[in-house]
Amino acid sequence: MLDTLMLRYHNDPEVYIIAATYEFDDRNNVESARKYFAEGLKYHNNCKNLYVEEFWVEVQHLEKTAGASLPIAIEKYRNLIKRFEGDIEFHFILLDRAIQLSAVRELQCNVVRDMVKKYRHSELMWRKLAKIHFDGFIYHRETEQLYYDKNYISGIRNCIKTYEDGLKENLPLKNKHKLWNFYIDHIIEIRKSYRMKKETIRNFMNETMERAFLEAHDNKALLKAEYYIYWAKNTNKDCHRILRKAVEVIQDSVELWIHLISFYLNYDSLEMGIEAFQAGVRSLKSKSMPLWEILILYMGNTHPKLLQQLYHEGSHFPYPEVNFIIRTEYLEWSVIHNGILSTRELFVELRDIKPECKQLYTTMIAFELTQNSGITKLKCIRKLYNDVCNNFGHRDIGVWSDCIRFEYMYGSRKLVKEIYKASLLCLEPDLRSGMTEEFEKLKAEYNMEEDPKDHGVIVIDDDE
């Protein structure tokens, strides 16, 4: 029956794997399994999975025969590494299969020994060797022997030593930097694991972390912001010194600058915090808004007199990604602390900073709407809408829609249609149909008449 299936489905290598596995696992017939693998490889001689599964059957058979089939397994293995010469990932797959069973130590030793010799100048090999050491498979390069040590402390120490040995090799700089990354990642992984419960391991890994991170930094190989942040959070030395090293190496990391500035401000070291802030905004430029926010929040709680100066500087910072936000926040702060009259003066100052900021106008309009000043209020807001429509109305339907809403609700309804006509003249041609649709929605929303009677101005009496 299996032979019939082979003839019918020989285009699918998986069929041969299933047949061979069945023969070996269920019928304990290794010869028949070998036959199916050989037949499959006639049709699929480039299928790596077929070779791997064939090797895996030999590994299992080697254990079943208590080593008697070692010559066959070794020959199969030699043919495979010759067939896929230079394919380090394939070598790793064979190793992963070989170390699954404990009674095939000599085969395992051959696979590891060849890996070390063939790929000594690959950072991937050193990572793989470190990982199997971590798992308890200890390979002595001097004796070329492999043994298993169930003591996980020994595994950790050998893992660390393997990385350090690899970093002493004459690897190309790019590859050595990758190995440093593998090493650092593994240190972090170990320090997060249950193995850190034991004090001796905690002390050993803390010392290893300090040494490895410092050496990586000194070798210009610590190139990720997350590494410096981890180091700073876990060191028993001066955290801020590490963060200062970090921003010298990775000047464009927002997260690193945030951590450095926050460190100083948490200790109320304002002078150092401002120094770091100034260096940070010089480096980050248009990406520096989070640094402004940190300092604004801190000064709002501790140094309110300095806050206005900071707002002023931020409003004139030569990057719209920053000054657009700060100008609006400055206006909001002013209306709370200085009142509407001072805020109107401030608005004029902020309005004249280029490029113009639409949000500044809409924020000021919102403030004016809260004022109880009757006709004056109406004139102020009309002027603001006139300016915002002239400045931004070429590409923005929303400003016209807001202006129409305001005029209909608070001003002269006769002006609504005139505003709509003005919008069609001002908007770019590709937006005019969209404006027409928006106006129809507004008419339906407010039940606007085609020729509305002017209900005049809604006057809100001044407070007495």
Side-chain angles (χ1 to χ4, degrees):
M1 182 179 175
L2 283 176
D3 291 336
T4 303
L5 287 172
M6 297 301 101
L7 290 172
R8 184 179 299 177
Y9 299 107
H10 68 83
N11 287 330
D12 184 359
E14 193 64 28
V15 170
Y16 294 96
I17 294 173
I18 292 170
T21 303
Y22 168 76
E23 289 291 336
F24 182 76
D25 290 346
D26 296 328
R27 301 185 66 186
N28 198 28
N29 190 337
V30 70
E31 293 300 332
S32 185
R34 287 167 178 163
K35 185 189 77 170
Y36 281 121
F37 279 123
E39 189 69 19
L41 289 168
K42 288 180 184 178
Y43 296 101
H44 308 282
N45 65 344
N46 290 319
C47 178
K48 288 184 180 179
N49 201 32
L50 261 175
Y51 289 106
V52 170
E53 294 306 323
E54 182 187 30
F55 176 70
W56 174 230
V57 164
E58 295 299 342
V59 172
Q60 294 174 87
H61 186 59
L62 179 60
E63 184 179 55
K64 283 184 177 181
T65 61
S69 64
L70 180 62
I72 296 175
I74 291 289
E75 182 184 6
K76 189 71 65 177
Y77 161 69
R78 292 288 176 210
N79 289 336
L80 286 177
I81 60 171
K82 185 176 180 181
R83 174 77 172 77
F84 295 98
E85 182 75 30
D87 190 336
I88 190 171
E89 294 295 343
F90 186 76
H91 203 119
F92 291 165
I93 293 171
L94 298 183
L95 174 58
D96 289 339
R97 291 302 180 98
I99 63 176
Q100 286 186 37
L101 302 177
S102 59
V104 294
R105 193 70 71 221
E106 190 168 346
L107 176 62
Q108 294 169 350
C109 187
N110 274 269
V111 178
V112 175
R113 184 190 303 125
D114 289 341
M115 179 185 75
V116 172
K117 287 182 177 179
K118 287 176 178 291
Y119 303 107
R120 181 174 178 174
H121 297 293
S122 168
E123 73 281 4
L124 298 174
M125 190 284 291
W126 288 102
R127 178 177 63 172
K128 187 67 176 178
L129 188 60
K131 282 185 174 181
I132 67 169
H133 283 169
F134 180 75
D135 291 332
F137 293 91
I138 312 301
Y139 177 72
H140 283 286
R141 291 167 61 200
E142 295 80 8
T143 62
E144 297 186 341
Q145 293 301 308
L146 181 76
Y147 69 94
Y148 185 77
D149 189 340
K150 64 182 181 180
N151 184 340
Y152 71 84
I153 296 176
S154 176
I156 290 174
R157 290 183 180 276
N158 276 283
C159 169
I160 297 302
K161 183 178 183 303
T162 301
Y163 279 114
E164 292 177 345
D165 288 345
L167 289 165
K168 293 173 185 174
E169 291 288 327
N170 188 27
L171 300 178
L173 185 60
K174 183 178 178 181
N175 300 71
K176 186 164 285 192
H177 281 180
K178 288 180 181 178
L179 185 56
W180 272 112
N181 284 344
F182 295 154
Y183 183 24
I184 296 299
D185 285 337
H186 210 149
I187 288 172
I188 294 171
E189 181 184 332
I190 294 171
R191 293 186 80 255
K192 289 179 179 177
S193 74
Y194 71 91
R195 292 175 170 87
M196 290 291 285
K197 291 179 180 178
K198 201 161 187 176
E199 186 177 1
T200 54
I201 286 297
R202 282 202 307 274
N203 293 337
F204 173 72
M205 288 308 302
N206 289 340
E207 291 172 6
T208 299
M209 180 199 73
E210 295 288 359
R211 181 179 69 253
F213 278 70
L214 181 59
E215 287 180 8
H217 169 78
D218 291 343
N219 283 276
K220 297 181 172 52
L222 205 61
L223 301 176
K224 294 182 181 180
E226 64 200 69
Y227 290 159
Y228 281 103
I229 292 168
Y230 181 87
W231 186 14
K233 285 181 176 178
N234 291 278
T235 187
N236 54 12
K237 299 179 181 178
D238 291 334
C239 167
H240 73 99
R241 294 185 187 279
I242 292 170
L243 292 172
R244 291 188 76 88
K245 291 176 190 287
V247 295
E248 290 173 4
V249 175
I250 311 172
Q251 297 182 4
D252 62 349
S253 170
V254 175
E255 196 175 5
L256 282 175
W257 286 108
I258 287 174
H259 275 80
L260 180 59
I261 294 166
S262 298
F263 174 86
Y264 288 128
L265 298 184
N266 287 339
Y267 286 94
D268 289 324
S269 181
L270 181 59
E271 184 177 346
M272 295 298 291
I274 289 176
E275 180 185 319
F277 165 78
Q278 291 172 337
V281 298
R282 283 196 300 270
S283 295
L284 296 176
K285 299 179 174 63
S286 63
K287 298 191 300 179
S288 65
M289 189 61 220
L291 310 193
W292 291 92
E293 293 287 16
I294 290 171
L295 201 55
I296 286 170
L297 180 62
Y298 177 81
M299 286 189 172
N301 293 327
T302 59
H303 297 79
K305 291 183 179 179
L306 295 176
L307 182 57
Q308 187 165 2
Q309 179 184 344
L310 184 64
Y311 273 131
H312 177 81
E313 291 175 4
S315 298
H316 290 81
F317 193 63
Y319 295 93
E321 294 87 348
V322 173
N323 71 52
F324 273 21
I325 297 171
I326 291 184
R327 277 190 269 174
T328 303
E329 289 185 5
Y330 190 8
L331 207 64
E332 292 170 348
W333 176 86
S334 176
V335 79
I336 293 170
H337 293 86
N338 299 328
I340 191 65
L341 294 178
S342 293
T343 301
R344 284 172 180 156
E345 294 177 3
L346 177 62
F347 169 77
V348 173
E349 176 190 334
L350 299 177
R351 177 197 65 192
D352 292 338
I353 299 172
K354 301 299 179 184
E356 290 190 286
C357 173
K358 185 182 78 170
Q359 186 62 34
L360 195 67
Y361 285 90
T362 56
T363 302
M364 194 66 208
I365 288 169
F367 293 154
E368 293 291 359
L369 280 170
T370 65
Q371 302 306 307
N372 294 329
S373 51
I375 299 286
T376 305
K377 164 177 147 177
L378 184 66
K379 289 179 178 178
C380 285
I381 297 176
R382 264 199 187 132
K383 177 66 168 63
L384 289 168
Y385 269 121
N386 181 69
D387 291 345
V388 79
C389 287
N390 283 332
N391 292 331
F392 304 98
H394 296 86
R395 296 294 306 171
D396 192 333
I397 292 174
V399 295
W400 294 103
S401 177
D402 290 345
C403 182
I404 289 170
R405 287 176 187 274
F406 167 76
E407 201 63 54
Y408 187 85
M409 294 174 66
Y410 299 104
S412 173
R413 296 182 180 179
K414 283 187 174 181
L415 292 178
V416 165
K417 199 164 187 179
E418 297 304 316
I419 296 169
Y420 168 62
K421 290 178 181 178
S423 72
L424 296 181
L425 292 173
C426 186
L427 282 164
E428 297 289 343
D430 62 312
L431 296 176
R432 290 171 189 169
S433 62
M435 183 66 220
T436 299
E437 291 175 11
E438 180 66 18
F439 187 57
E440 291 301 319
K441 290 178 185 176
L442 289 170
K443 284 166 65 176
E445 181 181 346
Y446 292 104
N447 195 23
M448 295 182 187
E449 302 168 11
E450 282 298 319
D451 188 19
K453 294 179 181 179
D454 188 4
H455 294 277
V457 174
I458 299 174
V459 178
I460 302 173
D461 293 334
D462 294 335
D463 289 342
E464 294 183 2

